[in-house]
Amino acid sequence: MSDVKKIAVILASGSGIRFGAPVPKQFLKLAGKTVLEHTLDVFERHPAIDEVVIVGSADNLLLINEIINRAGYRKVTKVVSGGTTRQQSSAAGIAAILGDDHKVLVHDAVRPLLDHATIDRCLHALERGDAVDTAIPASDTVIQVTPESRIANIPDRSVLRLGQTPQAFRSGVLRKAHELAKSAPDLMVTDDCGLILHYSLSDVEVVAGDVNNIKITYPSDIYLADRIFQLRARRIGVGEGDLALAGKTIVVFGASRGIGKSVCEIATAAGANVIAVSRASGVDICDEKAVRTTLREAVESYGRIDAVIATAGILRTGLIAGQNYSIIDEQIATNLRGSIVVAREAFEAMREAGGSIALFTSSSYTRGRARYSVYSATKAAIVNLVQALSEEFLPFHVRINAINPERTATPMRIENFGVEPAEALLDANVVAQETLSACFSQSTGEVIDIRL
């Protein structure tokens, strides 16, 4: 059993006719990447998944391979041609897997919001049986109708579920189902679990899916998915990114205090070449010439820049009616325009060799906070900025993410909210450590949560 693998089969051969876009929906851009890339990211990052097999249409195999090569997906072992139906594509996927004891997850490429917890539930269920479906409770009343569009039956909603993917199988069971289906060309089933049940090959256990694991079918779905991506953040634990910083060159803007100071101390102790600047040292991130000069000198001194981190920010509390425009302009200039300047100039310094950029958002980006409305607005703008720039920068191997720490013990926090219980605040060193981890991960276009 030591040779048993956990393999994801990604079905990416759909034509997207119902969507009506000029390209298949799995290749549409969403939050900085194609839908397919977001889906592949989920399995690439899951520690239990050993391999990924992609099933595409013959017309799109070249594009799929270009995406894989550009992003460097290490777990993708095969890209195979599928058929004109979902069933044919799934059959092609299982045919590419050798051996009958593997745990296989079959997933639609156009479900990019799959979470790791759902994958875990599928894999655990395969310890108990040979077939697993993923589903969520039906929230609406489901009606059965006659050919004349009259209600024939209203099933009990409590026993109804809405199916999702992944579906999970022992490879031999799924292989046998598709072999049997070859002799029944008129068989109409909508998914692989339907095949398993039709041929009575196994019971199918149902595990909980996730309401956010939507399938992109219609144009409105892409807007919904984009909004979910904007609001959904991901944690990067220390150790997920490469924290072997010896010889790395890191430029920190806003380095004189708070999180920026902690980043510099941790990176320096780890052997990185750290260029630490702030307004106190004469570098204001609103000044593009000063930012450009700082980055140019870093390249001249060390040959390249591996990461640029901008922690500089300004928070002014109070009702907006009581703030004069100079206070408003100051926050917009530093928090938003300054971040734009750093991102733009860092990209120019990194576009030849690649690298990573980290900007800072805040938990207030999801919902504006009274008494610091301007600050909240700038932090929401940072998230949109990062998502947009991740798409622009991706061909140049420049990554950019928004770091979203919970309330952190920094001088800016104390100045605005006074002394708070230490146990209610993140330590700046923790935020700094995870910021560095995010910079040296493969994430891009994401909101990286840092929580207590």
Side-chain angles (χ1 to χ4, degrees):
M1 294 297 289
S2 60
D3 292 333
V4 172
K5 295 180 179 179
K6 302 176 184 69
I7 304 172
V9 175
I10 309 300
L11 304 182
S13 57
S15 61
I17 293 174
R18 284 178 292 178
F19 196 90
V23 298
K25 54 197 173 183
Q26 59 268 32
F27 301 117
L28 292 174
K29 287 295 181 67
L30 174 66
K33 299 181 182 180
T34 64
V35 170
L36 175 60
E37 285 173 281
H38 283 295
T39 301
L40 290 173
D41 285 346
V42 176
F43 293 98
E44 182 80 12
R45 291 169 179 160
H46 194 291
I49 299 299
D50 299 304
E51 296 181 11
V52 175
V53 174
I54 304 176
V55 184
S57 69
D59 293 338
N60 292 319
L61 293 185
L62 179 60
L63 175 57
I64 292 173
N65 279 292
E66 287 177 353
I67 289 172
I68 294 166
N69 294 337
R70 182 185 65 208
Y73 291 113
R74 292 173 293 177
K75 292 184 179 181
V76 176
T77 56
K78 295 179 181 178
V79 179
V80 300
S81 180
T84 57
T85 67
R86 187 186 194 282
Q87 185 173 318
Q88 291 170 345
S89 293
S90 179
I94 192 63
I97 296 173
L98 304 179
D100 289 339
D101 292 323
H102 303 301
K103 294 181 177 181
V104 176
L105 281 72
V106 181
H107 187 65
D108 297 327
V110 290
R111 288 187 185 270
L113 287 154
L114 174 66
D115 63 317
H116 281 194
T118 300
I119 294 175
D120 290 336
R121 289 190 289 271
C122 289
L123 293 174
H124 292 158
L126 281 180
E127 298 294 334
R128 303 184 290 269
D130 292 332
V132 181
D133 202 356
T134 306
I136 59 174
S139 58
D140 296 326
T141 298
V142 178
I143 60 174
Q144 182 179 353
V145 299
T146 67
E148 296 78 25
S149 295
R150 293 182 174 86
I151 293 179
N153 185 34
I154 302 179
D156 180 2
R157 189 172 64 187
S158 67
V159 298
L160 297 178
R161 299 292 184 270
L162 304 178
Q164 298 183 328
T165 64
Q167 296 180 330
F169 310 91
R170 286 288 175 180
S171 52
V173 173
L174 184 57
R175 191 187 318 280
K176 185 173 182 179
H178 282 290
E179 287 174 351
L180 292 170
K182 289 178 182 177
S183 61
D186 297 328
L187 177 64
M188 298 292 291
V189 295
T190 58
D191 58 26
D192 294 298
C193 285
L195 279 180
I196 300 295
L197 292 174
H198 179 79
Y199 291 111
S200 301
L201 296 177
S202 172
D203 291 334
V204 179
E205 181 178 346
V206 179
V207 300
D210 182 80
V211 68
N212 289 324
N213 183 22
I214 64 172
K215 183 178 181 180
I216 296 175
T217 305
Y218 301 104
S220 59
D221 295 327
I222 201 79
Y223 295 108
L224 176 58
D226 199 40
R227 181 61 174 162
I228 294 173
F229 267 112
Q230 183 189 45
L231 296 177
R232 191 177 82 172
R234 187 169 71 88
R235 288 202 63 173
I236 287 189
V238 175
E240 181 178 333
D242 177 12
L243 286 183
L245 301 182
K248 302 291 187 182
T249 300
I250 302 171
V251 180
V252 182
F253 293 93
S256 62
R257 62 180 196 163
I259 296 168
K261 183 179 179 182
S262 292
V263 168
C264 294
E265 292 171 349
I266 291 171
T268 299
N273 306 310
V274 178
I275 296 87
V277 296
S278 65
R279 285 199 296 183
S281 66
V283 178
D284 187 332
I285 62 172
C286 298
D287 183 348
E288 60 268 28
K289 292 182 180 179
V291 171
R292 188 180 307 127
T293 298
T294 299
L295 296 169
R296 185 184 67 245
E297 291 176 351
V299 173
E300 290 173 352
S301 297
Y302 300 106
R304 60 169 288 154
I305 298 172
D306 297 287
V308 173
I309 301 171
T311 66
I314 294 177
L315 168 60
R316 300 286 185 248
T317 56
L319 298 176
I320 195 168
Q323 294 187 358
N324 61 46
Y325 281 104
S326 63
I327 291 175
I328 293 171
D329 291 342
E330 178 188 35
Q331 294 175 86
I332 295 173
T334 296
N335 299 347
L336 181 53
R337 187 183 188 279
S339 294
I340 293 171
V341 169
V342 169
R344 176 176 173 174
E345 298 301 331
F347 169 70
E348 292 298 333
M350 293 175 167
R351 64 185 302 162
E352 297 298 329
S356 181
I357 304 167
L359 305 179
F360 272 72
T361 185
S362 157
S363 59
S364 63
Y365 87 87
T366 60
R367 182 177 177 82
R369 303 289 197 269
R371 295 187 57 79
Y372 45 106
S373 57
V374 176
Y375 177 85
S376 297
T378 61
K379 293 305 180 179
I382 292 298
V383 172
N384 282 271
L385 176 69
V386 162
Q387 290 179 336
L389 293 184
S390 67
E391 184 174 332
E392 294 184 23
F393 295 173
L394 190 63
F396 300 89
H397 304 288
V398 175
R399 304 179 307 281
I400 182 168
N401 293 291
I403 309 299
N404 181 34
E406 274 189 315
R407 295 172 296 178
T408 306
T410 64
M412 186 176 78
R413 178 88 195 173
I414 294 172
E415 291 163 3
N416 284 279
F417 300 102
V419 178
E420 299 169 284
E423 62 272 16
L425 300 176
L426 275 168
D427 186 281
N429 287 329
V430 172
V431 178
Q433 185 86 4
E434 295 207 27
T435 298
L436 287 164
S437 185
C439 284
F440 291 95
S441 74
Q442 292 305 305
S443 297
T444 191
E446 297 198 36
V447 178
I448 307 299
D449 265 345
I450 304 177
R451 296 288 177 254
L452 281 169

